Amino acid sequence: MGFKMSILLIAPPALWRNRYLEKHERGAYFDVQKRYLGSGAWSFPAENLAIMSIKAYAASRGIDVTTINAQTARHASIEQTWHTILESAKKNGDPLLIGFTGTAEMYEESMELALRAKRRWSKVLTVLGHDLATLSWRDVLARSDAFDFACTGDGEAAFTELARRVLNGESLAGCPSMFSRDDVGSAPVRHRNVPALNLDELPWPSRDDLPAVRALGMGAAVFSSRGCPFRCTFCTTGSKSAIQHGSDSYRTKSITNVVDEISMLHRDHGVNFVTISDDLFLLNQVHSQRRAEEFATEMIRRQLSVSFMVDCRIDSIDASLFSLLVQAGLVKVFIGVETADDDQLQNYGKVYDRKSDSQLDVIRKKLQLLHDLSLDVVPGVLTYHPRVTKRELLMTDHLIEICKTPAPNMYWTKIIAYPGTPLYADYKARGLLSGDWPTEYWHFEDPKAERQYDRFTQLISGRRSSFEFVRKTFLSTLDSWDED
Ligand code: B12
């Protein structure tokens, strides 16, 4: 009787959210999201395309990967995920290699699971992928023994090659895009030499998770591009693109391929709405605007009854292009507006129109174009940062008003300093960070800002407050900015 051995890919439970929430708000990540999103949950992209794309690629090379998505399985504790890993080992064989994905917020959960796996199976190898591993692989490997490898950049070919070598008992040294503890003291630039994957050569992601996602009442997603040509100081995607693939850092799939995939989702899975979960589906550059036009034309030509959502920048909104996209099924747009303060936008490296004296005017006009088309706008607003002033907060209130999306959480968002970004380096150099890596807290520079934030969040915490109540409380605590 031969031994069965398995390769695992895990999306850990997102427990970080619970750490900041009131008791009644606790639960599995998507359950909590559903309570916030209410009737809007259907458009929330809940598939994990990272592990599902790697799984599909490995399968195309004859390697079977078992995926455990603790988020779609609605796990609310590490115990539940650990139990699922043990069950999988019973069924599929002891794991030889386990990969973990997740944003920086889930690092702790991945680390805990990796350490448990190492205690249970002494020979198992562990690897962390995604943006944190890409940008901060040295820290990932030096700070704990949880991970044997950190994968930088795209995982499809890298993880598959590592799994192939592990299964064949071959040497793991010099595996493309993978760094190990041996590399920590040296200055390797190997990941820069790995050619960018041609996105059209990738198989479509496995849809094994789609039934669970639909049972949650949430939506499907496709990716049509990778990377970003912009370098906003707070964003890991820009920083990741900056160190990878040079001029290939923004890569696109052909429109035929993207529409074929959407068409398959409709035909085989009954999907009527899809999120195009690119960082940036649309740029303010001619080639990108033409590509979006081509996409819309193809969706219209095929008469697919699938509506969709995209991400874009303020400066990419064009009236005639968006009206065509609406005809093609566009119903929702995520747009990172961030702030209306010109100096702060400059600090973020995100000025929309350099010729304009007021970025707020630019934002107002562009958002109006979306509202005129009756599009559902999901704005990304960065309200608090260490140097925030009363003036900027008043402008943010105005910005929230012109977004016309009554989401109270926009009033209390705090920027997150992700390791590997210029913003993180800046806050660190200024001594503003404290707490545990990689999700340290930052401190306000002005005690008045800190006082306003504390008063405001205390007054709204512990209750499900209406947008109007949150807004009134925000403004009244700004009124008393100068009082002790
Ligand atoms: C869609 C999306 C979501 C969706 C779905 C997330 C999900 N379950 O997958 C929703 C709306 C739920 C979401 C929520 C959040 N998101 Co989000 N999201 C995205 C977005 C736009 C696309 C993700 C995607 O599908 N990419 C396509 C896949 C194929 O690419 P990929 O994820 O990069 O994976 C590749 C590589 O990174 C690598 N890789 C990844 N994992 C692994 C693992 C192994 C073992 C290996 C070898 C390789 C590997 O290989 C993959 C294939 O090449 C990204 C930006 C982006 N373009 O990636 C932000 C992004 C991932 N999100 C981000 C954040 C901050 C969040 C939230 C924390 C926001 C919040 N404060 O609530 C939450 C976390 C929620 C959660 N539970 O995971 C940040 C992460 C920053 C960071 N460095 O940690 C990103 C990068 C956006 C940004 N630039 O700021 N998000």
Side-chain angles (χ1 to χ4, degrees):
M1 203 175 74
F3 286 109
K4 279 210 298 181
M5 285 170 300
S6 61
I7 307 286
L8 286 181
L9 268 175
I10 295 174
L15 305 176
W16 56 275
R17 250 198 118 79
N18 294 348
R19 290 175 211 137
Y20 310 106
L21 293 172
E22 297 298 318
K23 251 197 182 126
H24 67 276
E25 293 286 23
R26 291 195 185 166
Y29 175 71
F30 287 131
D31 291 343
V32 175
Q33 283 296 335
K34 269 171 80 169
R35 288 204 285 271
Y36 274 105
L37 294 162
S39 58
W42 58 274
S43 67
F44 199 71
E47 284 183 284
N48 191 302
L49 295 185
I51 59 174
M52 290 304 165
S53 182
I54 300 175
K55 178 181 192 155
Y57 187 93
S60 75
R61 302 293 190 276
I63 295 177
D64 191 29
V65 172
T66 304
T67 44
I68 296 175
N69 186 339
Q71 300 182 15
T72 46
R74 301 173 58 204
H75 292 174
S77 70
I78 290 283
E79 268 337 302
Q80 286 172 289
T81 314
W82 179 239
H83 178 74
T84 310
I85 294 173
L86 293 176
E87 289 297 306
S88 158
K90 260 195 231 156
K91 190 166 153 230
N92 306 307
D94 287 356
L96 281 177
L97 173 66
I98 311 183
F100 294 87
T101 188
T103 69
E105 285 85 346
M106 266 93 72
Y107 165 76
E108 228 173 285
E109 287 84 329
S110 289
M111 192 166 71
E112 167 70 23
L113 290 167
L115 288 171
R116 284 194 191 201
K118 286 190 156 293
R119 284 196 293 269
R120 180 80 166 79
W121 300 286
S122 61
K123 294 216 169 70
V124 74
L125 291 168
T126 53
V127 45
L128 182 72
H130 208 257
D131 293 15
L132 181 68
T134 303
L135 292 169
S136 307
W137 60 268
R138 256 181 240 274
D139 274 298
V140 166
L141 296 167
R143 285 175 182 264
S144 93
D145 292 331
F147 306 104
D148 299 295
F149 294 97
C151 175
T152 57
D154 295 336
E156 288 89 351
F159 188 77
T160 303
E161 174 61 8
L162 184 66
R164 190 193 65 75
R165 293 192 194 189
V166 168
L167 287 167
N168 293 342
E170 290 177 24
S171 160
L172 306 180
C175 210
S177 302
M178 294 285 175
F179 288 121
S180 73
R181 213 152 275 111
D182 294 343
D183 298 311
V184 172
S186 63
V189 286
R190 232 182 313 137
H191 59 289
R192 295 187 194 157
N193 301 331
V194 176
L197 288 175
N198 176 340
L199 300 186
D200 280 328
E201 284 169 11
L202 294 176
W204 294 332
S206 151
R207 297 293 164 179
D208 288 0
D209 244 5
L210 195 49
V213 167
R214 303 197 75 199
L216 281 164
M218 295 179 156
V222 298
F223 63 86
S224 93
S225 70
R226 273 190 193 164
C228 179
F230 296 97
R231 299 291 175 257
C232 303
T233 58
F234 54 84
C235 179
T236 53
T237 309
S239 296
K240 197 164 115 164
S241 297
I243 59 164
Q244 289 186 299
H245 314 311
S247 57
D248 289 337
S249 68
Y250 182 66
R251 294 164 285 151
T252 53
K253 279 189 182 180
S254 71
I255 291 305
T256 311
N257 187 357
V258 179
V259 182
D260 282 350
E261 188 177 358
I262 295 175
S263 166
M264 175 281 292
L265 284 171
H266 180 61
R267 191 187 61 232
D268 299 352
H269 300 273
V271 164
N272 294 320
F273 171 85
V274 74
T275 296
I276 301 187
S277 71
D278 300 357
D279 275 298
L280 211 46
F281 171 72
L282 184 62
L283 316 178
N284 58 350
Q285 292 158 9
V286 180
H287 66 91
S288 176
Q289 301 262 322
R290 290 234 171 91
R291 180 171 176 271
E293 207 177 290
E294 197 194 322
F295 172 75
T297 312
E298 188 58 12
M299 289 287 283
I300 295 168
R301 190 186 69 74
R302 296 206 204 176
Q303 295 189 308
L304 287 180
S305 36
V306 179
S307 56
F308 62 95
M309 168 176 176
V310 297
D311 275 30
C312 82
R313 281 171 58 105
I314 283 287
D315 52 17
S316 313
I317 300 169
D318 169 84
S320 67
L321 173 60
F322 271 73
S323 122
L324 185 69
L325 285 164
V326 167
Q327 273 181 57
L330 180 67
V331 289
K332 217 165 177 167
V333 179
F334 175 87
I335 186 137
V337 270
E338 325 308 359
T339 174
D341 184 277
D342 289 5
D343 291 341
Q344 193 52 27
L345 279 170
Q346 184 90 35
N347 287 339
Y348 288 150
K350 202 170 184 185
V351 176
Y352 300 116
D353 183 352
R354 293 197 178 274
K355 283 181 250 138
S356 171
D357 293 339
S358 155
Q359 298 303 308
L360 181 60
D361 279 348
V362 180
I363 297 169
R364 185 186 290 112
K365 282 186 198 131
K366 294 290 189 179
L367 287 179
Q368 193 55 48
L369 292 177
L370 300 182
H371 291 131
D372 289 347
L373 289 164
S374 304
L375 281 163
D376 197 350
V377 177
V378 185
V381 174
L382 296 172
T383 302
Y384 289 97
H385 60 86
R387 282 183 171 164
V388 78
T389 58
K390 180 178 175 182
R391 182 178 165 276
E392 185 181 351
L393 290 173
L394 285 168
M395 281 178 96
T396 298
D397 173 58
H398 189 53
L399 182 70
I400 292 174
E401 197 176 5
I402 63 176
C403 286
K404 295 187 184 156
T405 310
N409 62 323
M410 286 190 280
Y411 280 104
W412 65 75
T413 53
K414 279 177 108 175
I415 192 154
I416 300 172
Y418 287 110
T421 60
L423 187 100
Y424 180 91
D426 177 38
Y427 289 9
K428 192 154 179 83
R430 280 157 48 198
L432 293 172
L433 299 179
S434 67
D436 289 335
W437 187 88
T439 43
E440 292 102 314
Y441 295 100
W442 51 255
H443 306 284
F444 287 99
E445 287 190 342
D446 180 352
K448 287 180 180 169
E450 176 140 24
R451 218 170 36 226
Q452 187 272 338
Y453 176 81
D454 287 348
R455 272 189 196 150
F456 165 55
T457 48
Q458 259 164 36
L459 287 168
I460 58 163
S461 82
R463 55 168 108 190
R464 283 207 145 267
S465 307
S466 69
F467 179 79
E468 273 317 318
F469 175 79
V470 171
R471 178 173 190 216
K472 254 175 51 199
T473 313
F474 179 79
L475 291 174
S476 73
T477 49
L478 279 182
D479 273 349
S480 46
W481 180 268
D482 289 312
E483 291 166 20
D484 280 335

